[in-house]
Short mmCIF file of all heavy atoms in Angstrom, two decimals:
data_model
loop_
_atom_site.label_atom_id
_atom_site.label_comp_id
_atom_site.label_asym_id
_atom_site.label_seq_id
_atom_site.Cartn_x
_atom_site.Cartn_y
_atom_site.Cartn_z
N GLU A 1208 97.23 102.24 103.21
CA GLU A 1208 97.11 101.82 101.82
C GLU A 1208 97.29 100.30 101.67
O GLU A 1208 98.29 99.74 102.13
CB GLU A 1208 98.17 102.54 100.96
CG GLU A 1208 98.08 102.28 99.49
CD GLU A 1208 96.98 103.08 98.81
OE1 GLU A 1208 96.37 103.94 99.46
OE2 GLU A 1208 96.73 102.83 97.61
N LEU A 1215 98.97 92.80 101.52
CA LEU A 1215 99.76 93.67 102.38
C LEU A 1215 99.03 94.99 102.62
O LEU A 1215 98.34 95.50 101.73
CB LEU A 1215 101.14 93.94 101.76
CG LEU A 1215 102.04 92.73 101.51
CD1 LEU A 1215 103.32 93.16 100.82
CD2 LEU A 1215 102.35 92.00 102.82
N LEU A 1216 99.19 95.51 103.81
CA LEU A 1216 98.61 96.80 104.20
C LEU A 1216 99.70 97.64 104.82
O LEU A 1216 100.35 97.22 105.78
CB LEU A 1216 97.48 96.58 105.21
CG LEU A 1216 96.89 97.82 105.88
CD1 LEU A 1216 96.19 98.70 104.85
CD2 LEU A 1216 95.93 97.44 107.00
N ALA A 1217 99.93 98.81 104.25
CA ALA A 1217 101.00 99.69 104.73
C ALA A 1217 100.41 100.91 105.42
O ALA A 1217 99.40 101.46 104.97
CB ALA A 1217 101.89 100.13 103.58
N THR A 1218 101.02 101.32 106.51
CA THR A 1218 100.65 102.55 107.20
C THR A 1218 101.89 103.41 107.38
O THR A 1218 103.00 102.89 107.58
CB THR A 1218 100.04 102.27 108.59
OG1 THR A 1218 101.03 101.68 109.44
CG2 THR A 1218 98.85 101.31 108.48
N VAL A 1225 107.19 103.45 108.39
CA VAL A 1225 106.23 102.67 107.60
C VAL A 1225 106.10 101.31 108.26
O VAL A 1225 107.11 100.63 108.50
CB VAL A 1225 106.69 102.52 106.14
CG1 VAL A 1225 105.78 101.55 105.39
CG2 VAL A 1225 106.70 103.87 105.44
N VAL A 1226 104.88 100.91 108.58
CA VAL A 1226 104.59 99.61 109.16
C VAL A 1226 103.75 98.84 108.15
O VAL A 1226 102.73 99.34 107.69
CB VAL A 1226 103.85 99.72 110.51
CG1 VAL A 1226 103.61 98.33 111.10
CG2 VAL A 1226 104.63 100.59 111.48
N ILE A 1227 104.20 97.63 107.80
CA ILE A 1227 103.50 96.80 106.82
C ILE A 1227 102.91 95.59 107.54
O ILE A 1227 103.61 94.89 108.27
CB ILE A 1227 104.44 96.35 105.69
CG1 ILE A 1227 105.03 97.57 104.98
CG2 ILE A 1227 103.71 95.46 104.70
CD1 ILE A 1227 106.04 97.23 103.91
N PHE A 1250 110.00 99.82 109.09
CA PHE A 1250 111.25 100.49 108.75
C PHE A 1250 111.06 102.00 108.79
O PHE A 1250 109.93 102.50 108.68
CB PHE A 1250 111.78 100.05 107.38
CG PHE A 1250 110.87 100.33 106.23
CD1 PHE A 1250 110.96 101.50 105.50
CD2 PHE A 1250 109.90 99.39 105.85
CE1 PHE A 1250 110.12 101.75 104.43
CE2 PHE A 1250 109.06 99.63 104.78
CZ PHE A 1250 109.17 100.81 104.07
N SER A 1252 111.25 105.25 107.03
CA SER A 1252 111.27 105.71 105.65
C SER A 1252 111.93 107.07 105.50
O SER A 1252 112.76 107.27 104.62
CB SER A 1252 109.83 105.78 105.11
OG SER A 1252 109.80 106.33 103.81
N LYS A 1271 101.94 110.21 101.97
CA LYS A 1271 101.25 109.23 101.12
C LYS A 1271 102.14 108.01 100.92
O LYS A 1271 103.37 108.09 100.92
CB LYS A 1271 100.91 109.82 99.74
CG LYS A 1271 99.87 110.93 99.76
CD LYS A 1271 98.49 110.41 100.14
CE LYS A 1271 97.46 111.55 100.15
NZ LYS A 1271 96.13 111.08 100.55
N ILE A 1272 101.47 106.86 100.73
CA ILE A 1272 102.12 105.61 100.33
C ILE A 1272 101.35 105.06 99.15
O ILE A 1272 100.12 105.02 99.16
CB ILE A 1272 102.14 104.59 101.48
CG1 ILE A 1272 103.07 105.05 102.61
CG2 ILE A 1272 102.58 103.21 100.97
CD1 ILE A 1272 103.04 104.14 103.82
N ARG A 1273 102.08 104.63 98.12
CA ARG A 1273 101.46 104.00 96.96
C ARG A 1273 102.26 102.75 96.59
O ARG A 1273 103.47 102.80 96.44
CB ARG A 1273 101.40 104.96 95.77
CG ARG A 1273 100.42 106.10 95.95
CD ARG A 1273 98.98 105.62 95.96
NE ARG A 1273 98.01 106.71 96.11
CZ ARG A 1273 97.50 107.10 97.26
NH1 ARG A 1273 97.89 106.51 98.38
NH2 ARG A 1273 96.61 108.08 97.31
N TRP A 1274 101.53 101.64 96.42
CA TRP A 1274 102.15 100.37 96.03
C TRP A 1274 102.28 100.27 94.52
O TRP A 1274 101.40 100.70 93.78
CB TRP A 1274 101.33 99.19 96.54
CG TRP A 1274 101.33 99.00 98.03
CD1 TRP A 1274 100.44 99.53 98.91
CD2 TRP A 1274 102.24 98.21 98.79
NE1 TRP A 1274 100.74 99.12 100.20
CE2 TRP A 1274 101.85 98.31 100.15
CE3 TRP A 1274 103.36 97.43 98.47
CZ2 TRP A 1274 102.53 97.66 101.17
CZ3 TRP A 1274 104.04 96.79 99.50
CH2 TRP A 1274 103.62 96.90 100.83
N LEU A 1275 103.37 99.65 94.06
CA LEU A 1275 103.50 99.29 92.66
C LEU A 1275 103.01 97.86 92.48
O LEU A 1275 103.14 97.04 93.39
CB LEU A 1275 104.95 99.40 92.20
CG LEU A 1275 105.43 100.77 91.75
CD1 LEU A 1275 105.51 101.74 92.92
CD2 LEU A 1275 106.78 100.67 91.05
N GLN A 1282 108.32 93.22 96.65
CA GLN A 1282 107.28 94.24 96.57
C GLN A 1282 107.95 95.61 96.54
O GLN A 1282 109.02 95.80 97.13
CB GLN A 1282 106.35 94.15 97.78
CG GLN A 1282 105.57 92.86 97.89
CD GLN A 1282 104.29 92.89 97.08
OE1 GLN A 1282 103.95 93.88 96.44
NE2 GLN A 1282 103.56 91.77 97.09
N PHE A 1283 107.31 96.56 95.86
CA PHE A 1283 107.86 97.92 95.79
C PHE A 1283 106.76 98.91 96.17
O PHE A 1283 105.58 98.72 95.81
CB PHE A 1283 108.36 98.24 94.38
CG PHE A 1283 109.60 97.48 93.99
CD1 PHE A 1283 109.50 96.21 93.44
CD2 PHE A 1283 110.86 98.03 94.18
CE1 PHE A 1283 110.64 95.50 93.08
CE2 PHE A 1283 112.00 97.33 93.82
CZ PHE A 1283 111.90 96.05 93.27
N LEU A 1284 107.15 99.95 96.88
CA LEU A 1284 106.20 101.02 97.23
C LEU A 1284 106.89 102.36 97.21
O LEU A 1284 108.11 102.46 97.40
CB LEU A 1284 105.55 100.76 98.59
CG LEU A 1284 106.38 100.73 99.87
CD1 LEU A 1284 106.69 102.14 100.41
CD2 LEU A 1284 105.68 99.92 100.94
N LEU A 1285 106.09 103.39 96.95
CA LEU A 1285 106.56 104.77 97.02
C LEU A 1285 106.03 105.40 98.31
O LEU A 1285 104.87 105.22 98.67
CB LEU A 1285 106.04 105.58 95.84
CG LEU A 1285 106.67 105.34 94.47
CD1 LEU A 1285 105.88 106.10 93.40
CD2 LEU A 1285 108.13 105.77 94.43
N SER A 1286 106.89 106.12 99.00
CA SER A 1286 106.49 106.87 100.19
C SER A 1286 107.04 108.28 100.07
O SER A 1286 108.12 108.48 99.51
CB SER A 1286 106.99 106.20 101.47
OG SER A 1286 108.41 106.20 101.51
N THR A 1287 106.29 109.22 100.60
CA THR A 1287 106.74 110.61 100.49
C THR A 1287 106.45 111.38 101.76
O THR A 1287 105.45 111.13 102.44
CB THR A 1287 106.06 111.31 99.28
OG1 THR A 1287 106.56 112.65 99.17
CG2 THR A 1287 104.55 111.37 99.46
N ILE A 1292 110.46 111.94 97.80
CA ILE A 1292 109.78 110.69 97.50
C ILE A 1292 110.82 109.58 97.43
O ILE A 1292 111.89 109.77 96.83
CB ILE A 1292 109.01 110.80 96.16
CG1 ILE A 1292 108.08 112.02 96.18
CG2 ILE A 1292 108.22 109.52 95.89
CD1 ILE A 1292 107.59 112.42 94.81
N LYS A 1293 110.50 108.43 98.00
CA LYS A 1293 111.43 107.30 97.99
C LYS A 1293 110.74 106.06 97.46
O LYS A 1293 109.57 105.80 97.78
CB LYS A 1293 111.98 107.03 99.40
CG LYS A 1293 112.82 108.17 99.96
CD LYS A 1293 113.41 107.82 101.32
CE LYS A 1293 114.26 108.95 101.87
NZ LYS A 1293 114.86 108.61 103.17
N LEU A 1294 111.49 105.29 96.67
CA LEU A 1294 111.02 103.99 96.18
C LEU A 1294 111.69 102.91 97.03
O LEU A 1294 112.91 102.80 97.07
CB LEU A 1294 111.39 103.81 94.70
CG LEU A 1294 111.08 102.44 94.09
CD1 LEU A 1294 109.58 102.17 94.08
CD2 LEU A 1294 111.67 102.32 92.68
N TRP A 1295 110.88 102.10 97.70
CA TRP A 1295 111.38 101.07 98.61
C TRP A 1295 111.13 99.68 98.03
O TRP A 1295 110.07 99.41 97.45
CB TRP A 1295 110.68 101.17 99.97
CG TRP A 1295 111.09 102.37 100.75
CD1 TRP A 1295 110.52 103.60 100.71
CD2 TRP A 1295 112.16 102.45 101.69
NE1 TRP A 1295 111.17 104.45 101.57
CE2 TRP A 1295 112.18 103.77 102.19
CE3 TRP A 1295 113.11 101.55 102.17
CZ2 TRP A 1295 113.10 104.21 103.13
CZ3 TRP A 1295 114.03 101.97 103.10
CH2 TRP A 1295 114.03 103.28 103.58
N LYS A 1296 112.11 98.81 98.22
CA LYS A 1296 111.99 97.40 97.85
C LYS A 1296 111.80 96.58 99.12
O LYS A 1296 112.61 96.68 100.05
CB LYS A 1296 113.23 96.92 97.09
CG LYS A 1296 113.20 95.45 96.74
CD LYS A 1296 114.50 95.02 96.04
CE LYS A 1296 114.48 93.53 95.71
NZ LYS A 1296 115.74 93.10 95.05
N ILE A 1297 110.74 95.79 99.17
CA ILE A 1297 110.46 94.93 100.32
C ILE A 1297 110.68 93.48 99.87
O ILE A 1297 109.95 92.98 98.99
CB ILE A 1297 109.01 95.10 100.83
CG1 ILE A 1297 108.64 96.60 100.90
CG2 ILE A 1297 108.83 94.42 102.17
CD1 ILE A 1297 109.47 97.40 101.84
N SER A 1340 114.76 98.14 101.57
CA SER A 1340 115.92 98.90 101.10
C SER A 1340 115.47 99.97 100.12
O SER A 1340 114.63 99.71 99.24
CB SER A 1340 116.93 97.98 100.43
OG SER A 1340 116.33 97.24 99.39
N ARG A 1342 115.52 102.00 96.87
CA ARG A 1342 116.09 101.79 95.54
C ARG A 1342 116.23 103.09 94.76
O ARG A 1342 117.14 103.21 93.94
CB ARG A 1342 115.17 100.84 94.75
CG ARG A 1342 114.86 99.55 95.48
CD ARG A 1342 116.11 98.75 95.79
NE ARG A 1342 116.71 98.21 94.59
CZ ARG A 1342 117.83 97.51 94.58
NH1 ARG A 1342 118.48 97.30 95.71
NH2 ARG A 1342 118.32 97.05 93.45
N ARG A 1343 115.36 104.05 95.01
CA ARG A 1343 115.45 105.34 94.33
C ARG A 1343 115.03 106.43 95.32
O ARG A 1343 114.17 106.21 96.18
CB ARG A 1343 114.51 105.42 93.12
CG ARG A 1343 114.70 104.34 92.08
CD ARG A 1343 115.85 104.64 91.14
NE ARG A 1343 115.88 103.68 90.05
CZ ARG A 1343 116.44 102.48 90.11
NH1 ARG A 1343 117.02 102.08 91.24
NH2 ARG A 1343 116.43 101.67 89.05
N ILE A 1356 100.74 111.49 95.52
CA ILE A 1356 101.51 110.76 94.53
C ILE A 1356 100.58 109.71 93.93
O ILE A 1356 99.70 109.18 94.61
CB ILE A 1356 102.78 110.10 95.11
CG1 ILE A 1356 102.43 109.25 96.34
CG2 ILE A 1356 103.84 111.11 95.43
CD1 ILE A 1356 103.62 108.49 96.92
N ILE A 1358 100.55 106.39 90.91
CA ILE A 1358 101.23 105.57 89.92
C ILE A 1358 100.42 105.56 88.63
O ILE A 1358 99.20 105.40 88.64
CB ILE A 1358 101.39 104.12 90.43
CG1 ILE A 1358 102.00 104.10 91.83
CG2 ILE A 1358 102.24 103.31 89.45
CD1 ILE A 1358 103.42 104.57 91.91
N LEU A 1378 110.13 106.17 86.95
CA LEU A 1378 110.58 105.42 88.13
C LEU A 1378 112.06 105.09 88.09
O LEU A 1378 112.65 104.80 89.13
CB LEU A 1378 109.76 104.12 88.26
CG LEU A 1378 108.32 104.30 88.74
CD1 LEU A 1378 107.52 103.01 88.54
CD2 LEU A 1378 108.28 104.71 90.20
#
Side-chain angles (χ1 to χ4, degrees):
E1208 185 78 7
L1215 299 177
L1216 172 65
T1218 66
V1225 172
V1226 182
I1227 301 176
F1250 60 92
S1252 174
K1271 293 292 180 182
I1272 292 175
R1273 290 292 181 266
W1274 291 91
L1275 275 69
Q1282 297 275 358
F1283 290 86
L1284 63 81
L1285 287 172
S1286 64
T1287 182
I1292 307 164
K1293 295 183 180 182
L1294 174 64
W1295 290 89
K1296 177 183 179 181
I1297 315 298
S1340 55
R1342 307 300 291 177
R1343 304 279 188 276
I1356 52 176
I1358 310 293
L1378 286 167

